[in-house]
Every structure is written in C-alpha cells, then in structure tokens.
Amino acid sequence: MDLTKATEVAGPMISALLGGSGLWVWLQSRASKHHAIDDLILGIARTRIITLGRYYLERGYILIDEYDDFYNYLYKPYVEMGGNGLGKRIFEEVEDLPMLPKGSDGRKET
C-alpha cells in the first residue's frame, strides 16, 4: 500500500475516532474514577493520621522510628495529595511531643 492510499484510509478513521463522543466519554470516566480513588486514599490517610496521632498524643511521646514512619509514609504523601485541615493540625501536635529513641518504651527492639 502506498502512502497516499494509507492517508486516504487513515484520515477518515482518525477523524471518526477523535470526533466520536465515545472516546471522550471513556476518557472522562477514567478521569472521574481516578479522582474518586485519590479521594478515597486521601480519606484513608486522614483517618489513619488522626487515629495514630491521637494515640501518640494520649501516650504523651513518640518513638523516633514511629515518627519517621508517621511522617514519611503517611503525613508527607497526604500533604502532597492535597490533604490539610485536621490531619495537619494533629501532625503539628504530634511534632511537639517528646521523641524517644527506639526501645525506650519498655518494649523489646526488633
């Protein structure tokens, strides 16, 4: 097949594909689903930050390795996804807690 024939066939096909509403509806539904997944993850992270944060606040201290996990694997991604509000306030209160070295809470180190 020469180039002119390929252009004659491909032109209308591409036009029909891009001009049809089906493609745009599919793309929009993917974007909507992606947004819902982001909201769900953000909500789960917020709940976990509040639950863990309140636990640490009631206990009155946080271990250094707990803080590292709390910050790097929970709070930091939460903020990067747009989280704020109560999760941020709880984190700021946790930051003010005394930080103890690993093993200083009476538990065995693993």
Side-chain angles (χ1 to χ4, degrees), residues 48-87:
R48 191 70 180 137
I49 288 168
I50 292 168
T51 302
L52 268 177
R54 286 183 175 160
Y55 168 75
Y56 298 141
L57 292 169
E58 286 177 18
R59 188 171 72 180
Y61 66 91
I62 187 168
L63 300 176
I64 290 173
D65 57 330
E66 291 173 335
Y67 178 83
D68 182 58
D69 289 345
F70 189 70
Y71 176 75
N72 288 312
Y73 302 112
L74 197 57
Y75 182 72
K76 187 177 172 185
Y78 169 78
V79 170
E80 288 173 2
M81 286 187 73
N84 57 23
L86 183 57

Side-chain angles (χ1 to χ4, degrees), residues 8-110:
E8 287 176 15
V9 172
M13 290 175 67
I14 291 172
S15 177
L17 180 64
L18 294 178
S21 63
L23 174 67
W24 301 113
V25 168
W26 178 75
L27 288 173
Q28 191 174 29
S29 72
R30 275 184 58 98
S32 177
K33 184 177 180 182
H34 184 68
H35 182 67
I37 291 170
D38 287 349
D39 287 347
L40 179 63
I41 291 170
L42 197 59
I44 292 169
R46 179 183 183 274
T47 300
R48 191 70 180 137
I49 288 168
I50 292 168
T51 302
L52 268 177
R54 286 183 175 160
Y55 168 75
Y56 298 141
L57 292 169
E58 286 177 18
R59 188 171 72 180
Y61 66 91
I62 187 168
L63 300 176
I64 290 173
D65 57 330
E66 291 173 335
Y67 178 83
D68 182 58
D69 289 345
F70 189 70
Y71 176 75
N72 288 312
Y73 302 112
L74 197 57
Y75 182 72
K76 187 177 172 185
Y78 169 78
V79 170
E80 288 173 2
M81 286 187 73
N84 57 23
L86 183 57
K88 182 178 179 183
R89 191 176 56 117
I90 295 284
F91 175 76
E92 289 170 351
E93 290 179 28
V94 167
E95 269 193 316
D96 292 336
L97 287 173
M99 281 191 215
L100 303 177
K102 184 176 182 178
S104 19
D105 63 344
R107 295 183 298 172
K108 286 185 177 179
E109 290 188 40
T110 54

